[in-house]
Amino acid sequence: MKAHTIETKKGARCRVLEAGSGMPLVFFHGAGGLLADNPFLDQLAARYHVFAPELPGYGESTGEELLEDMLDFTLHGWDVVSALGLTKPHLVGHSMGGMIAAEMAAIAPGDLGKLVLVAAAGLWIEEHPIPDIFALLPGQLIELLFQDPVKGQALLTGGADFSDMEVFKEFYLGQQRRLAMAGKILFPIPNRRVSKRLYRLTAKTLVLWGGADKLIVPAYAERWGRLIPGATVETIADAGHMLPYELPAAFVGAVSRFLG
Amino acid sequence: MKFTWFNLMPWPYLPDDFREQNRSVWVDIPSKLYDPKKGHFVYHQYMDQLEYAETLGFDGIGCNEHHQNGYGLMPSPNLIAAGLARRTSRAAICVIGNSIAGYNPPIRVAEEFAMLDVISGGRLVAGFPVGTPMDTNFCYGQIPALTRDKYKEAHDMIMKAWAEDEPFAFDGKYNQLRWVNCWPKPIQKPHPPVYIPGGGSIETWDFCLDYDYNYSYLSFYGYVRGKSLLEGYWDRVAKRGKDDSPYRAAFAQIICVADTDAEAEELYAEHCLYFFNRCLHVFPPFADPPGYRTVNTIKYGALSQLRLEAQKLMANLTWKQLVDERFIIAGSPETVRQQLEECIKGLRIGHLFCLLHTGNMPDWKTRHSTKLFAEKVMPHLRNLWPEWEDDDRWWIHPMEDRLHPEEMQPGAEKPGQVWPR
């Protein structure tokens, strides 16, 4: 994929990965950001014109001070779509990105093609409290994110050697910066009341989940399905929270079947 | 020098295997470890000790705010301070302080601190910490990346509420109040001395210097480790063109005094180790949520990896290490005096928060150490800054004719009492 930088009307500078042609599809990453290895984006690009913007505070994107609350994040999403010059793109959001995409769809229901929410954050079910991702040791986080923690570790770190203090320091600073940003909409409870607004959705919606998601358990898929008018819920067994990275082929298959 | 007797008020009944059985003394510590009936005695004992310190000539008595923890039992330090205000009349009451980012609306702090200043006759030292991440973020739910911004806004509201004579509207990002009108107002004008406790965030230095507040470095790692941080602060003071009055800075230090060095170990070792091994046993992620510290502060040196190392160190500490590496200052009056002089001069501080109660130290030992300190150490350290003798910018200015409520009997007759004119 090729990378370039856009500037939103508000002044945030965001790095965007882009590839493919056809219907525009914007992918919104989760709280950890885009991992180094993301084959699912290339596979989606075989059928769609894929854009994967990085939020301010992630990678080379800057302007985190411009975004403070959920409305800021939501409008930023649409500002990115505008800066890219897209009309009615499909929105695909993973985890925190799903939360943002759902808010975008609620605030401007006529401005998107279809909506795909993958292991989306944004709801809270008292019987299924989501683990506090801001209070985890690195090993605990990997356990929660991936069905297979060994593979997960390699995916998350991009194969970096953490015994090298400088490498670790760089990763650590990046992670602090990313999660500081994510905390603005996920801390202390990842619920900014999108549930009150979901009645507004008109786009066809797919709720896609890993059957073995330990972070946001599949009960949440069912809840999203209930709250969004006419939504389809699909579960892929043997995938954890990081479904797009863990099972890219299955993920892309499900998304493509739905988007057409 | 000003000496403030400070009690963190730890819970003294944490079990021997606390560290093995629990991941954290803070945030998610099992509440079954707290026993309210024992707590009754604990609070009274700790408050008695603070009052005792006043009788021995300490300049101040101090308390602070922490939540959901066995390390310090004061979710509301203002309640403790209110009790102290009624049973003392000379010492400064140092509330170090209220974690103002967590108050909604923060005018509550302006009001309660004003009440304390009025009840105590103008003896309040007002501390405004950002609060530890355990308290402000994990217990009180404030968003880490926005905590400093919210803190600053709360500060602005409180200071304006004290300063303004007319009601005003406050249109903040986090707090909107149409009518701000602080009643009562503090006795001390323009406001009580303000102390900003910091744990090592470099942004705090500029904040203190912007407003000429006292910078209080609170650490349990002792003055040797504290030196580089205070040096950073004093560099900043010089760069900003401010005078270098030692009263701009305060430092907290665990101190144990006995008749001899050997007796200090015998009397206090188990209680200091209790503090370091149990009371500081914090699950590392609770101490470092992303966004709480700025990237600049992280780069300044305190990587959380190092904090993990510190945690490991805590598990195997010995008395010898605590003393040799100056985590604590312990020994005979002469030993303590020498090391404290080194500490005070080395850090260039005019205020010392003396932690003379530590961990699960029983009352009699606390008083023994406190008395020896007051009689055999403090007098020798009083005049370390003769050239700044008259600098009272960071100290209390009480009413001359204030009451002495500690001398009154609740049932005493007061015939003919009328409102003062």
Side-chain angles (χ1 to χ4, degrees), chain A residues 68 132 134-135 172 176 180 187, chain B residues 137 142 173 283 288 291 303-304:
Chain A
E68 291 178 330
D132 185 351
F134 299 97
Y172 173 79
Q176 290 288 107
F187 194 94
Chain B
N137 304 130
Q142 303 304 318
K173 196 194 290 181
F283 181 52
D288 200 20
L303 267 183
S304 87

Side-chain angles (χ1 to χ4, degrees), chain A residues 68 132 134-137 140 165 168-169 172-173 175-177 179-181 183-185 187-188 192, chain B residues 137-138 141-146 149 173 283 285-286 288-291 293 295 298-299 303-305:
Chain A
E68 291 178 330
D132 185 351
F134 299 97
L136 293 174
L137 296 169
Q140 296 174 317
M165 195 58 194
F168 173 80
K169 195 170 163 181
Y172 173 79
L173 281 171
Q175 185 75 349
Q176 290 288 107
R177 185 166 167 249
L179 289 183
M181 194 64 189
K184 293 176 185 175
I185 55 173
F187 194 94
R192 296 296 186 266
Chain B
N137 304 130
F138 288 103
Q142 303 304 318
I143 292 169
L146 302 177
D149 196 34
K173 196 194 290 181
F283 181 52
F286 286 149
D288 200 20
R293 293 187 298 152
V295 168
I298 298 169
K299 282 184 179 160
L303 267 183
S304 87
Q305 178 77 355

Side-chain angles (χ1 to χ4, degrees), chain B residues 352-402:
Chain B
L352 187 69
F353 296 132
C354 308
L355 302 166
L356 281 149
H357 172 275
T358 301
N360 60 348
M361 195 182 284
D363 189 59
W364 72 269
K365 291 186 190 179
T366 306
R367 286 172 186 252
H368 181 59
S369 183
T370 299
K371 193 157 191 281
L372 282 173
F373 183 88
E375 290 174 355
K376 299 194 171 168
V377 179
M378 202 155 70
H380 302 286
L381 299 172
R382 273 276 172 220
N383 300 312
L384 289 181
W385 305 110
E387 69 275 35
W388 296 98
E389 201 178 5
D390 300 324
D391 187 5
D392 62 356
R393 287 174 290 172
W394 290 278
W395 202 240
I396 54 167
H397 297 87
M399 287 165 65
E400 288 295 328
D401 55 344
R402 63 188 178 277

Side-chain angles (χ1 to χ4, degrees), chain B residues 129-255:
Chain B
V130 172
T132 71
M134 294 80 85
D135 295 314
T136 302
N137 304 130
F138 288 103
C139 299
Y140 268 34
Q142 303 304 318
I143 292 169
L146 302 177
T147 298
R148 270 163 220 287
D149 196 34
K150 191 166 183 230
Y151 167 85
K152 175 67 169 54
E153 181 179 306
H155 159 270
D156 293 349
M157 179 193 280
I158 292 164
M159 297 313 284
K160 192 171 179 191
W162 281 347
E164 289 291 322
D165 287 328
E166 300 290 332
F168 62 93
F170 189 91
D171 179 28
K173 196 194 290 181
Y174 307 94
N175 303 277
Q176 290 183 309
L177 294 176
R178 182 61 187 84
W179 300 98
V180 181
N181 187 20
C182 189
W183 257 83
K185 284 273 175 69
I187 286 172
Q188 298 183 83
K189 301 292 177 209
H191 54 73
V194 173
Y195 282 39
I196 310 295
S201 288
I202 57 178
E203 289 75 17
T204 307
W205 300 340
D206 274 320
F207 183 72
C208 290
L209 295 172
D210 287 345
Y211 297 94
D212 270 331
Y213 295 153
N214 170 286
Y215 175 66
S216 304
Y217 183 44
L218 306 185
S219 147
F220 301 111
Y221 303 108
Y223 68 94
V224 175
R225 283 167 192 77
K227 199 158 191 302
S228 69
L229 203 101
L230 261 299
E231 274 168 5
Y233 169 71
W234 287 115
D235 280 351
R236 198 70 205 148
V237 172
K239 279 204 187 80
R240 295 282 303 264
K242 301 276 186 179
D243 67 72
D244 63 350
S245 167
Y247 293 105
R248 287 186 182 281
F251 187 70
Q253 178 63 55
I254 296 175
I255 301 166

